[in-house]
Amino acid sequence: MRNKVVIGINLFITFLILITFYYLSKLDPILIERSTYDFIHIGIESIISMICFTIFYIGLYSFPYEKRQKYVIPSSIFFSIALINILHIYFAIERNSWGISIVFANMTYMLLGISIILLNTIPDSHLAKNRRHFCYIPLIFTTSSLVFYLLIKNSSYSTFLNYTKENFMFYRLMDLAVFIYYFFALMFSSKNYIINPDIHNINSLNSIIFALISKYTITFNIYPNDIFSTSAHLFKFISFLFLVKTFIMSNIKKPYEELNEANNIKTDFLINLSHELRTPVNVILNASKLICKNPQEYAKYISSIENNAYRLNKISENLIIYNEIENGNIETEYTEEDIVFIIDEIIEMAEDVLDKKSLDVSFEFSNKRNFVTDKRLFTQIVLNLISNSIKYADYGGNICIKLDIADSLKLTILNDGPPISEEEKDKIFEKFYKSKNTKLPTTEGLGIGLYIAKEFSKMLNGDIHIVNKDNMTGYTLIIRNAKNVKILDQYRKVEYSEKYFSDII
């Protein structure tokens, strides 16, 4: 709803401005004194060049911290925009070079549009650690612009560079072409904003809107110093201001927020880890002291020591898996597996804790049992999802597991515990997140079980979704068929401790 409101407001303001200037074009030309116009024109363009240099340096000096190519590549283009805009200013001062000045102005418009489109289309992946992009990209665009100018200047087409009545239509067509180009750039920005309506995309959307309005108003320009030419420069200036805000927030504020978030995650991790280690270690120490005092009388505590040792082992294994995910060290090995057999084994492993909570497990599956997947990753996902369902299921309650294998694998695991709230639907898959809902039973764990399951599902070309249905809550795992992968004939045996669920109760 918020997306539609913001886009609606932007479109309304745009429509209002477009209509206003359309009706102004029907009136007698509104002229500004030439010296005043030159002052406004050169002043605005000089500030725009400084803004471009600022954006470039923001990208350059924040590069060690903000390496995402969606910001690095566009910010490097702004160096070219600044240089070409200086050429635009230089030829604008020369009265007999007004046409050349307009050509360079349109080049800056084109590069601005390219940078905004790149901001909305380039992925968030990181670039290499060096800064070569900040040298190559400006060099390519600036050199291309100068070569184009020199070729035109010394050819038979050089007459088009003279701003005369005979060439007036040529410049109108140039403005129209840039206007159409900006219209398509606006479509790109709008589509990206609908998908991801954050403040950065709002700013880039506003920037392209004002650039579009700038090119629209210039199409009504008849005299160099009329109201349309002046307004076009003002709208262009506003467009660049929005982009400054985008790059400041993206390259300075956002990395700071991410660093702050990382510190919060580290704090949560240390708190969770200290709590998780303290409980089993205390149990093991106290039980060991009692056994040492009277081995025969307190021998029954040996099983408690064993259970808590398994619990510590599970914590260390989860930390190892988490580290492998963070460092990108997980490799997938695909084999054709009997999925029903894997799930039956996991249910059998959980038998003791299911009996302690008096839980009834129903498992429904389709005729097809086999599916190509990575057994280790898939088993870990199911272990974590079933473990989580057991934790939050009511005593004496039910756990429903349904498996359907066709073009893809669909596994739904539901329990009759408290439903997952809308506020926590996205948060529960974050690393080290533990529910703040006081109505939920107190559970053990580091808060990375669901994070690991989510990341493993992505590696298997799948995803996990929250389900609240028929007074039950849980998860649906969907994994699409593996394509163009090497299927091994035999895979190493995947083993998990029979005490895997010992940390639940």
Side-chain angles (χ1 to χ4, degrees):
M1 182 63 184
R2 181 173 173 268
N3 303 1
K4 294 179 180 178
V5 170
V6 173
I7 291 177
I9 292 171
N10 283 336
L11 290 176
F12 175 75
I13 294 172
T14 304
F15 177 76
L16 198 62
I17 294 172
L18 297 181
I19 290 294
T20 301
F21 279 92
Y22 174 77
Y23 279 105
L24 283 174
S25 68
K26 303 298 181 182
L27 304 176
D28 292 333
I30 303 172
L31 300 177
I32 298 172
E33 188 180 347
R34 190 58 185 263
S35 59
T36 304
Y37 169 78
D38 287 342
F39 177 78
I40 295 172
H41 176 203
I42 295 169
I44 288 176
E45 294 296 347
S46 299
I47 294 172
I48 286 174
S49 292
M50 287 189 284
I51 288 173
C52 292
F53 281 123
T54 301
I55 291 174
F56 172 76
Y57 281 113
I58 286 173
L60 179 65
Y61 285 104
S62 65
F63 181 73
Y65 312 102
E66 181 55 86
K67 303 182 183 69
R68 287 180 293 176
Q69 56 181 320
K70 73 176 294 183
Y71 298 117
V72 170
I73 295 176
S75 63
S76 62
I77 293 174
F78 279 91
F79 191 80
S80 296
I81 297 176
L83 292 178
I84 295 170
N85 204 51
I86 289 171
L87 291 174
H88 161 64
I89 296 169
Y90 170 76
F91 287 112
I93 296 171
E94 296 289 328
R95 298 294 187 203
N96 59 345
S97 304
W98 193 263
I100 303 174
S101 174
I102 293 174
V103 171
F104 278 116
N106 278 304
M107 286 182 181
T108 62
Y109 273 108
M110 293 297 290
L111 288 177
L112 173 63
I114 289 171
S115 65
I116 295 175
I117 289 173
L118 292 176
L119 266 175
N120 288 281
T121 54
I122 290 181
D124 256 359
S125 54
H126 285 202
L127 288 166
K129 293 183 179 179
N130 58 59
R131 291 184 169 92
R132 65 178 183 273
H133 305 84
F134 290 97
C135 299
Y136 297 159
I137 294 174
L139 183 64
I140 290 169
F141 281 113
T142 306
T143 305
S144 300
S145 300
L146 289 172
V147 168
F148 171 78
Y149 163 66
L150 292 173
L151 288 174
I152 293 293
K153 182 182 178 183
N154 299 316
S155 70
S156 59
Y157 297 103
S158 60
T159 54
F160 284 108
L161 298 179
N162 299 322
Y163 192 73
T164 61
K165 290 182 179 180
E166 291 77 15
N167 297 336
F168 186 75
M169 187 54 66
F170 167 74
Y171 288 100
R172 278 289 176 268
L173 290 173
M174 188 189 299
D175 290 330
L176 180 62
V178 176
F179 176 79
I180 294 171
Y181 166 72
Y182 265 87
F183 180 78
F184 285 106
L186 178 62
M187 296 300 102
F188 274 109
S189 298
S190 300
K191 182 180 177 182
N192 192 60
Y193 172 74
I194 291 171
I195 296 171
N196 186 19
D198 64 13
I199 188 65
H200 312 89
N201 292 330
I202 292 173
N203 288 328
S204 65
L205 180 65
N206 287 332
S207 179
I208 202 73
I209 285 173
F210 278 98
L212 183 72
I213 294 172
S214 175
K215 289 312 297 178
Y216 173 79
T217 55
I218 204 70
T219 57
F220 298 114
N221 165 247
I222 298 175
Y223 301 96
N225 57 325
D226 62 19
I227 188 67
F228 300 107
S229 180
T230 308
S231 299
H233 287 96
L234 287 171
F235 289 131
K236 183 181 177 182
F237 171 65
I238 295 171
S239 174
F240 277 92
L241 286 181
F242 275 112
L243 280 178
V244 169
K245 191 174 181 182
T246 297
F247 280 90
I248 287 175
M249 294 186 71
S250 302
N251 294 56
I252 297 176
K253 185 178 178 182
K254 194 171 183 179
Y256 173 78
E257 289 175 346
E258 289 176 351
L259 180 63
N260 203 28
E261 182 184 353
N263 285 331
N264 291 335
I265 290 173
K266 181 182 73 174
T267 302
D268 290 341
F269 164 70
L270 292 174
I271 292 171
N272 290 343
L273 182 62
S274 62
H275 175 75
E276 287 303 309
L277 292 177
R278 181 180 58 193
T279 303
V281 167
N282 284 342
V283 170
I284 291 171
L285 288 174
N286 292 332
S288 300
K289 288 177 182 177
L290 291 172
I291 292 171
C292 289
K293 288 180 179 178
N294 194 333
Q296 293 181 347
E297 183 180 350
Y298 296 108
K300 58 185 178 181
Y301 291 117
I302 292 176
S303 62
S304 179
I305 292 174
E306 183 186 27
N307 286 338
N308 281 279
Y310 279 122
R311 182 172 163 184
L312 288 172
N313 186 57
K314 182 179 177 181
I315 291 171
S316 64
E317 285 179 352
N318 279 337
L319 289 175
I320 290 169
I321 293 172
Y322 167 75
N323 187 58
E324 288 177 343
I325 292 172
E326 291 294 293
N327 293 324
N329 295 332
I330 302 291
E331 294 183 0
T332 53
E333 295 183 349
Y334 286 88
T335 52
E336 186 172 349
E337 298 292 339
D338 185 336
I339 303 300
V340 174
F341 179 75
I342 292 174
I343 296 173
D344 275 334
E345 274 194 326
I346 293 172
I347 294 172
E348 189 176 335
M349 285 168 55
E351 209 169 275
D352 287 344
V353 71
L354 290 171
D355 289 340
K356 288 178 181 178
K357 291 193 72 171
S358 301
L359 296 175
D360 182 41
V361 179
S362 63
F363 179 25
E364 299 178 13
F365 51 89
S366 56
N367 293 329
K368 189 175 180 181
R369 300 168 60 103
N370 289 359
F371 191 75
V372 175
T373 188
D374 183 300
K375 186 177 181 181
R376 177 201 166 198
L377 270 60
F378 178 78
T379 303
Q380 188 68 57
I381 293 169
V382 179
L383 277 167
N384 290 358
L385 294 182
I386 290 180
S387 175
N388 219 65
S389 290
I390 295 173
K391 284 180 183 180
Y392 295 109
D394 294 330
Y395 276 79
N398 298 288
I399 293 177
C400 300
I401 303 173
K402 187 175 181 179
L403 174 68
D404 183 28
I405 299 176
D407 293 334
S408 59
L409 181 149
K410 182 179 180 181
L411 176 65
T412 303
I413 303 173
L414 303 175
N415 67 81
D416 54 4
I420 299 169
S421 66
E422 291 295 325
E423 294 77 14
E424 292 193 313
K425 275 189 175 181
D426 295 327
K427 294 180 181 179
I428 62 173
F429 292 109
E430 294 176 1
K431 45 192 162 188
F432 307 119
Y433 178 80
K434 299 187 78 171
S435 177
K436 307 297 188 294
N437 188 350
T438 55
K439 295 181 181 179
L440 295 177
T442 302
T443 58
E444 307 298 339
L446 288 174
I448 56 174
L450 289 179
Y451 168 76
I452 290 171
K454 184 83 167 180
E455 293 301 310
F456 277 5
S457 68
K458 291 177 182 177
M459 294 176 194
L460 297 178
N461 192 28
D463 203 358
I464 302 173
H465 305 283
I466 304 297
V467 178
N468 288 320
K469 181 181 177 182
D470 299 331
N471 296 321
M472 301 196 81
T473 188
Y475 318 91
T476 293
L477 168 68
I478 298 175
I479 299 177
R480 290 168 285 280
N481 270 321
K483 296 179 181 179
N484 302 321
V485 296
K486 183 180 179 181
I487 302 175
L488 304 178
D489 295 330
Q490 194 172 13
Y491 183 68
R492 67 182 184 274
K493 187 177 179 181
V494 177
E495 293 183 349
Y496 288 89
S497 168
E498 294 180 2
K499 302 290 185 178
Y500 185 86
F501 299 96
S502 62
D503 62 327
I504 295 177
I505 53 175

